[in-house]
Amino acid sequence: MSERHVVVGIDGSIISTRAQDAAVEEAVRRSVPLEIVYAVPDLDVAGPLLATSAARVRKSHPELKVRLSAVAADPAEALARKGERAALTVVGTRALGGLASLASRSVARRVVERTRCPLLVVGAGHLPYHARTGDVLLAVETDADIESAVFAHEEAARRGVRLRLVHTPLYGPPVRSVDSLIAATADACVVVIAHHPHGNGHGNGGSHHGQTAHALMYRSRCPVFVVPAGLGAL
C-alpha cells in the first residue's frame, strides 16, 4: 500500500478490537485507506482473524478501502515497518497488571521507540472511541515540540473541537507535572505529546520526555497520540 494510510495491529484481543475501531474512525476522518496487520509466527492461522476483522469494518464502513496483512515477525517490528509510510499507526494497550498486560504494554512501548509516524495508543480503560467527547489536549514540554503542536492543531480542526494546552515543564518536578497531565486527560477526547527517542535536543538525553510519553500511554484516561520529533523532516 504505497498511498498514505492508517495502520492498526490486531491480535484477537478485546483491546485490539478497540484499537481497530479507532483506526477505522481515523481512516474515515482522514479519507485514507486502512491496513490491518496481524503479526503471528504461523501465517496459516492468520486468515480467520483477518477475515473477521475485515467483516467488522465492512459492516460499519463499507466504503472504506481495507488491506489485510499477515506478517511472520515480531509485532512491534512489523508495525514500525508497516508504519514507515503511513499517516498514522494505531495500537492497543492495557494499563493493569497480568501477563497479557505486560505483553501489550511491551508491544506499544517498542512501537513508540521505533515508529517514524504518529502513533495512536488506545487503552483498555478508555471509553469506546466514538463516544469520546471534549477538547484535544496538547502536552507541551519545551518550545521545540513543533511537530506535536502542528499535529494537535490539525487534529482539533479535523474534529471541530478546541485545542487546549497543558504545560509539563521539562525541568520541573516530574511526578507532579505528570500527575497533573494525567488528571487533565479525564475530560479530553484525545491527548497529543511529542516523543524524543534519541534525546530531546537539550543535552539531557530526553529522559523526562520519554517518561512523560510512556506515563501517558499507560495512565491516560483518553487515547494518546505520540508524535515523533523530527516528523516534518521525514
Side-chain angles (χ1 to χ4, degrees):
M1 187 173 284
S2 59
E3 56 196 321
R4 298 285 278 181
H5 59 293
V6 171
V7 172
V8 61
I10 64 167
D11 62 8
S13 65
I14 293 176
I15 186 56
S16 81
T17 300
R18 284 197 171 192
Q20 177 182 304
D21 290 346
V24 168
E25 290 199 31
E26 291 300 332
V28 171
R29 184 174 286 119
R30 288 165 168 75
S31 299
V32 299
L34 173 69
E35 182 173 12
I36 302 173
V37 179
Y38 185 21
V40 60
D42 184 358
L43 296 181
D44 291 336
V45 306
L49 179 58
L50 287 172
T52 299
S53 296
R56 183 179 179 88
V57 176
R58 285 195 298 269
K59 183 177 180 180
S60 61
H61 293 85
E63 77 288 352
L64 182 61
K65 182 179 178 181
V66 179
R67 177 179 178 179
L68 306 177
S69 297
V71 183
D74 172 79
E77 292 180 0
L79 288 174
R81 186 169 64 251
K82 286 287 187 179
E84 286 181 355
R85 300 296 179 184
L88 179 69
T89 298
V90 184
V91 65
T93 189
R94 299 171 181 83
L96 301 178
L99 293 178
S101 172
L102 290 175
S104 71
R105 289 173 64 174
S106 174
V107 170
R109 184 160 186 158
R110 286 185 292 129
V111 172
V112 81
E113 294 297 340
R114 291 167 170 78
T115 188
R116 300 181 65 194
C117 77
L119 177 70
L120 174 60
V121 181
V122 180
H126 300 159
L127 288 173
Y129 202 69
H130 68 274
R132 295 296 317 185
T133 59
D135 302 333
V136 169
L137 188 66
L138 171 62
V140 179
E141 294 184 296
T142 78
D143 57 7
D145 293 342
I146 303 300
E147 294 89 353
S148 59
V150 171
F151 183 93
H153 181 271
E154 293 175 347
E155 192 62 31
R158 272 191 290 264
R159 294 167 179 266
V161 300
R162 296 186 308 168
L163 175 61
R164 180 159 50 101
L165 275 62
V166 173
H167 187 217
T168 56
L170 183 62
Y171 302 109
V175 174
R176 185 182 307 169
S177 61
V178 169
D179 286 347
S180 297
L181 176 57
I182 298 300
T185 65
D187 57 356
C189 60
V190 292
V191 59
V192 180
I193 189 168
H195 182 57
H196 301 249
H198 302 298
N200 59 27
H202 294 270
N204 67 358
S207 59
H208 189 171
H209 271 84
Q211 290 173 6
T212 305
H214 291 150
L216 269 181
M217 287 168 59
Y218 307 129
R219 295 175 55 199
S220 173
R221 300 179 189 177
C222 68
V224 181
F225 283 107
V226 184
V227 181
L231 180 66
L234 297 179

